Amino acid sequence: MIKITIAKGDGIGPEIMNATLEILFAAGAQIETDEIEIGEKVYLSGNTSGISKEAWEVVTRNKVFLKAPITTPQGGGYKSLNVSTRKFLGLYANVRPCVSMHPFISTKHPVMDLVIIRENEEDLYAGIEHQQTDEVVQCLKLISRPGCEKIVRYAFEYAKHYGRKKVTCFTKDNIMKQTDGLFHKVFDEIASEYPEIIKEHWIVDIGAAKIADTPEDFDVIVMPNLYGDILSDVAAQITGSVGLAGSSNIGETCAMFEAIHGSAPTIANQNVANPSGLLQGAVMMLNHIGQTTIAEKIQNAWLKTIEDGIHTADIFKEGISKQKVGTKEFANAVINNLGQKPTILKTVDYSNSSVLNLPSYKRKPKAQKTLEGVDVFVHWSGTDPNELAEKIKGIELEHVKLSMITNRGIKVWPEGFKETFCTDHWRCRFKSDAGFDFNQKHIIELLSNALSQNIDTIKTENLYSFDGKSAYSLGQGQ
Ligand code: NAD
């Protein structure tokens, strides 16, 4: 008997959790549930994290968490509990299989069977945002080498373990050469350790278009957090409904299982929601805790139910479906089918399912890091970059000179275009003369000069080279 934490969540959460648990127990799952309260009620009681300290203790003690969707109240400083859970528990890999069930569920893509493996802890989801000027806000996109290595290795190990042939990587490294560039570079490095698996890379925009058009071309797709979030909804939806897909969130010690969809408040308490997404999450959970025979029994019964045409409203289609049922009736149909297998859809065999054991990340030797300059960001309400350049030149040091000014990344000085629209947020790049021992004291001097000349500096970013290679973006047009 394994103790798992469950949370019924908000909106359709309680209905789909009850339906899922009924199926699990009817199938003989060897689990005991420890229920915690999370979500809207907790948020609205004044706890901006959506979960109490006591509930966290239950989650970390049991290590396996089956979670229904929750509603995150808009605004008000409420932090997404989904994101916090993934990050606090180190659940770095989000696995989202999306499979068509043609001809039993209406879809434009009858032969789709792909798995999206989404990085789960970093990227823009670090949630580090600041307003810096009247006109400009920023969100930091953080990508780390350990983050990339862990998720890319997970994708290849997953492909190897489940006999998948190809791993595709999506990034936007033609634009974000440092962040997405690192993800792509690590993908290439790790792919070379798996010569038996085909590897390919697509720029995310055309890759997304290809998922929507020819998803059958894909097998396993690994991507940074935000792209993975968006594209797994797309992929699930084009199999027939976002209500069909489940996901696992895997870490080194803990794991969380859920549906990929949200709490769907507009259809809550009507017994119409499809419990399949959460059920798929629960099947992944049973495989994770080694109860593969039960997982297999449930999955085959579920496939048989889909094949029988017993469908909830989101997938019901005249001419294809046989019977429109509610959440509870769907669960009962799955329970009645326990022990049966589908006849046309592929029967599942989970005898090979097990937890993937990946090596822990090993920190690389430190590179030779050299400070080459500094970007000083300035809040200035003027419009003529030449005028700003004149002011900024006034804070230069003997061996540290202004080399460029950009506005929203585009070079506006020297030799900008008069057509370029400028906001009040300016990046002023200072480079040190070759051979000059530039260090943080010089940055303080620059800032001190700016202060004495009433220049409103809002932040700095150091310009480093690592092992002799400059590691910062150029200005667009530079
Ligand atoms: P949603 O996924 O809840 O709903 C999108 C659409 O899909 C709606 O039309 C909904 O009715 C339908 N749908 C979703 N699940 C369904 C199911 N099981 N059966 C039938 N139809 C289903 O997305 P949303 O409306 O953008 O978000 C609603 C709330 O959910 C928000 O508060 C959001 O923050 C939250 N959310 C939570 C999670 C999570 O807990 N993991 C994930 C995404 C969104």
Side-chain angles (χ1 to χ4, degrees):
M1 197 63 74
I2 292 188
K3 210 174 223 188
I4 61 159
T5 308
I6 62 157
K8 294 193 174 175
D10 301 313
I12 59 172
E15 297 163 78
I16 60 173
M17 179 62 86
N18 290 339
T20 298
L21 290 176
E22 267 178 42
I23 298 169
L24 260 59
F25 288 125
Q30 296 297 298
I31 54 168
E32 220 178 277
T33 57
D34 227 351
E35 186 173 345
I36 58 164
E37 173 101 61
I38 56 168
E40 208 170 16
K41 258 201 229 142
V42 183
Y43 282 120
L44 298 178
S45 73
N47 180 337
T48 53
S49 69
I51 181 169
S52 68
K53 197 164 159 277
E54 294 72 31
W56 265 131
E57 275 161 19
V58 176
V59 173
T60 48
R61 186 173 63 232
N62 293 329
K63 299 193 167 41
V64 177
F65 185 17
L66 181 63
K67 188 186 80 54
I70 54 163
T71 302
T72 313
Q74 303 275 313
Y78 300 110
K79 281 285 187 192
S80 162
L81 175 59
N82 298 313
V83 177
S84 315
T85 308
R86 292 169 189 151
K87 287 168 49 162
F88 273 135
L89 301 181
L91 309 179
Y92 65 92
N94 189 188
V95 183
R96 298 183 156 192
C98 299
V99 190
S100 291
M101 269 156 291
H102 175 79
F104 303 102
I105 294 182
S106 174
T107 166
K108 297 187 184 94
H109 303 290
V111 285
M112 164 176 181
D113 178 5
L114 60 83
V115 182
I116 291 182
I117 297 195
R118 161 190 174 195
E119 196 290 314
N120 222 11
E121 294 177 286
E122 47 191 44
D123 192 359
L124 292 158
Y125 287 71
I128 305 175
E129 295 192 299
H130 300 95
Q131 177 162 2
Q132 298 196 319
T133 66
D134 292 315
E135 294 175 347
V136 175
V137 285
Q138 76 162 18
C139 176
L140 276 189
K141 171 159 167 145
L142 294 175
I143 300 278
S144 72
R145 179 165 268 277
C148 297
E149 283 193 14
K150 277 158 63 178
I151 195 65
V152 172
R153 189 167 297 286
Y154 191 92
F156 278 96
E157 283 295 318
Y158 183 96
K160 190 168 136 185
H161 191 80
Y162 291 102
R164 298 226 169 217
K165 306 272 176 294
K166 181 166 79 170
V167 179
T168 306
C169 172
F170 283 5
T171 71
K172 187 81 183 170
D173 66 337
N174 54 331
I175 303 297
M176 285 161 277
K177 295 178 202 290
Q178 295 292 329
T179 48
D180 282 23
L182 176 62
F183 198 94
H184 188 174
K185 181 166 177 266
V186 169
F187 175 76
D188 287 343
E189 283 169 17
I190 290 181
S192 68
E193 297 176 33
Y194 298 84
E196 71 284 12
I197 296 171
I198 302 166
K199 64 137 193 169
E200 64 177 15
H201 172 269
W202 288 99
I203 298 291
V204 62
D205 36 6
I206 187 62
K210 283 177 74 70
I211 288 190
D213 185 52
T214 45
E216 63 276 16
D217 287 352
F218 295 102
D219 197 346
V220 173
I221 316 178
V222 63
M223 47 189 133
N225 205 340
L226 180 63
Y227 312 143
D229 188 6
I230 297 169
L231 291 178
S232 54
D233 268 33
V234 172
Q237 183 68 26
I238 64 175
T239 66
S241 166
V242 73
L244 288 169
S247 88
S248 60
N249 299 267
I250 307 291
E252 281 170 21
T253 49
C254 297
M256 173 173 80
F257 301 85
E258 56 185 345
I260 77 159
H261 59 75
S263 57
T266 56
I267 58 164
N269 305 316
Q270 295 163 38
N271 190 39
V272 294
N274 190 343
S276 298
L278 188 60
L279 184 65
Q280 291 303 295
V283 166
M284 293 164 109
M285 175 188 80
L286 291 173
N287 277 323
H288 181 84
I289 59 177
Q291 298 186 18
T292 53
T293 317
I294 314 277
E296 209 173 282
K297 189 167 156 193
I298 294 172
Q299 188 68 356
N300 284 326
W302 177 71
L303 289 167
K304 173 82 170 65
T305 309
I306 297 287
E307 218 178 71
D308 289 345
I310 301 174
H311 293 168
T312 43
D314 57 318
I315 53 171
F316 184 86
K317 193 122 190 177
E318 237 22 281
I320 296 179
S321 310
K322 299 262 164 46
Q323 196 187 344
K324 192 192 276 184
V325 290
T327 315
K328 285 185 190 151
E329 294 71 26
F330 183 83
N332 287 338
V334 176
I335 291 170
N336 288 335
N337 279 335
L338 286 169
Q340 299 199 51
K341 291 182 173 174
T343 43
I344 295 172
L345 293 172
K346 211 168 130 215
T347 302
V348 293
D349 172 2
Y350 292 144
S351 49
N352 187 32
S353 283
S354 61
V355 174
L356 299 179
N357 283 315
L358 268 63
S360 300
Y361 174 76
K362 287 207 179 52
R363 189 158 276 167
K364 308 280 175 293
K366 276 192 166 183
Q368 176 65 42
K369 181 169 131 182
T370 313
L371 191 60
E372 296 187 339
V374 63
D375 281 343
V376 177
F377 289 76
V378 169
H379 181 178
W380 183 63
S381 306
T383 51
D384 179 2
N386 294 313
E387 190 187 326
L388 179 63
E390 278 317 304
K391 275 168 83 75
I392 299 291
K393 274 170 160 297
I395 69 170
E396 288 179 340
L397 311 179
E398 192 184 348
H399 294 289
V400 184
K401 303 285 180 220
L402 180 68
S403 70
M404 169 184 85
I405 300 178
T406 68
N407 195 291
R408 291 185 298 175
I410 186 96
K411 183 175 68 112
V412 292
W413 181 92
E415 293 163 16
F417 281 47
K418 67 176 182 338
E419 289 81 3
T420 304
F421 179 82
C422 291
T423 67
D424 57 359
H425 185 274
W426 308 80
R427 171 177 60 166
C428 305
R429 175 159 292 178
F430 290 86
K431 296 293 289 284
S432 94
D433 291 345
F436 177 65
D437 181 22
F438 183 57
N439 61 43
Q440 264 106 343
K441 276 198 201 133
H442 300 112
I443 298 176
I444 294 168
E445 246 181 87
L446 282 170
L447 294 179
S448 163
N449 290 349
L451 185 64
S452 60
Q453 296 185 34
N454 279 330
I455 293 169
D456 184 2
T457 55
I458 47 185
K459 70 161 187 171
T460 59
E461 293 285 355
N462 295 356
L463 307 177
Y464 289 112
S465 68
F466 286 83
D467 287 339
K469 213 170 147 216
S470 296
Y472 45 87
S473 55
L474 298 176
Q476 277 158 354
Q478 196 183 15

